[in-house]
Amino acid sequence: MARVVLAMSGGVDSSVAAHLLLEQGHEVIGVFMRHGQASPVACAIDEPTASRVVPTPAHSANSKNPRQNSGGETPRLAALPIINRLDHKQGCCTASDAEDARRVADRLAIPFYALNLDAEFSRIIDYFVDEYAAGRTPNPCVQCNNWIKFGKLFDYADSVNAEFVATGHYARMGRSAAGEATLLRGIDDSKDQSYVLFGIERRHLDRMLLPVGEFAKPEIRRLAGTIGLNVATKKDSQEICFVTQGHYHEFIKDRQARRGVADAAEQGGEFVLTSGEVVGQHDGIEGFTVGQRKGLGIALGEPKFVVRIERETRRVVLGDRTELGRSELTAKDCNWLVEAGSVPSRGLVQIRYNAAPAWGDMVLLDDGRLSVRFDEPQFGVAPGQAVVCYDGERVLGGGWIE
């Protein structure tokens, strides 16, 4: 029916997505994006191997050679090296993930390519480091979707004359009454990932496919086992892919040092209560996020939460849970998947990936920012995180909390 470029991470979701797309009659080209943070110790290249190309399946509905671009030439693709992982974290985009993706492609008899996006991904890492160093809480997965998965991947799709780009996200594509493409929540509320897709350019919606969003996660695992995929029981990734060892603050300080700003990264500061009382010292604001309770490194005899992070004074302000509540917020750098003028005055608003959506009043300000006033206080409103607005199941868009 169409040629589709599918982002294959080596996990069960994108693997089953490949199977579902083939069942629908599409011609599928699997792409693994190499963009993890490699270190001389964690990643050792034994020997380079050419990117693997599996012959186009005979049942493909499109007879064009997916290896050729519009000029009839084979696109240049990065070699996929064999990499020995020595760390223990379960992230994504590792060499073992690449090998899992390759095996799935072999099993399904689809072309498989590895694209080296290390240079592009350095932008994600710098964003991550800069936000934490500024006392904000970044969301690199959202930016990866915006800049790479639904950015660079569309460029690659164009180079091989592919009509669609697909991923294994738990979200759905739909159509409005006017016939325009819409982004919807996945049917599995416990796995819904529509929040992390809010920043995609609206013009891309017509070319997106999200096949696993119509299923619950247990169904996807059962289906993977039924069709004999080796990733059927593989654990979901839990870590940020480029922080493969140690803690976030250690990674940030190391990155800052290599960028020549070691002094700024090494400055500690004070823990203070909302009353102003100084109760301890910390090693750096990059180790904390608003709403955090565990891992503060200080014992006060009763639970305390990070209520505020002050960049200028480098203070981490602690308080009770009630002091963490916020009834309103503003957001900048908004992206809308609908006409801005059609955003309703009320809707469901989500402040974090794992937060429950809450009802609130939404106002688009004259300068393009978004103002939200919640019906009930929300806990953990963190500057730097995304706020996403919904009209029922439909993603309207959102912005970045100030």
Side-chain angles (χ1 to χ4, degrees), residues 170-326:
Y170 282 85
R172 293 175 294 148
M173 301 306 303
R175 290 282 170 184
S176 69
E180 61 181 345
T182 57
L183 178 64
L184 309 172
R185 288 189 181 276
I187 66 165
D188 187 340
D189 289 337
S190 67
K191 287 293 181 180
D192 172 59
Q193 293 175 306
S194 60
Y195 170 90
V196 301
L197 301 179
F198 91 93
I200 292 169
E201 293 184 47
R202 185 182 174 193
R203 64 188 177 93
H204 287 325
L205 294 182
D206 269 319
R207 297 180 63 192
M208 285 172 51
L209 296 176
L210 302 169
V212 304
E214 302 287 346
F215 297 83
K217 181 74 175 205
E219 294 179 90
I220 293 297
R221 289 202 178 277
R222 282 195 296 269
L223 184 53
T226 299
I227 60 181
L229 299 185
N230 63 300
V231 295
T233 59
K234 184 177 179 178
K235 293 181 179 179
D236 293 339
S237 60
Q238 300 295 328
E239 305 292 341
I240 293 177
C241 61
F242 52 81
V243 185
T244 57
Q245 300 185 77
H247 300 286
Y248 289 177
H249 70 276
E250 295 170 350
F251 176 88
I252 293 165
K253 287 185 176 183
D254 178 68
R255 182 80 173 186
Q256 289 282 65
R258 287 188 283 117
R259 293 167 64 191
V261 287
D263 291 343
E266 291 174 359
Q267 290 179 0
E270 297 173 331
F271 283 116
V272 299
L273 300 181
T274 50
S275 64
E277 178 186 357
V278 177
V279 292
Q281 301 289 319
H282 63 79
D283 293 334
I285 61 174
E286 64 277 353
F288 305 95
T289 181
V290 171
Q292 180 178 342
R293 179 175 69 87
K294 297 181 179 179
L296 297 179
I298 183 172
L300 296 173
E302 58 181 336
K304 293 292 182 181
F305 298 79
V306 176
V307 173
R308 186 171 68 254
I309 298 172
E310 298 177 352
R311 179 185 183 183
E312 298 302 322
T313 62
R314 301 193 67 78
R315 284 184 161 191
V316 175
V317 182
L318 306 177
D320 298 330
R321 187 175 186 275
T322 54
E323 297 176 289
L324 190 63
R326 296 287 181 271

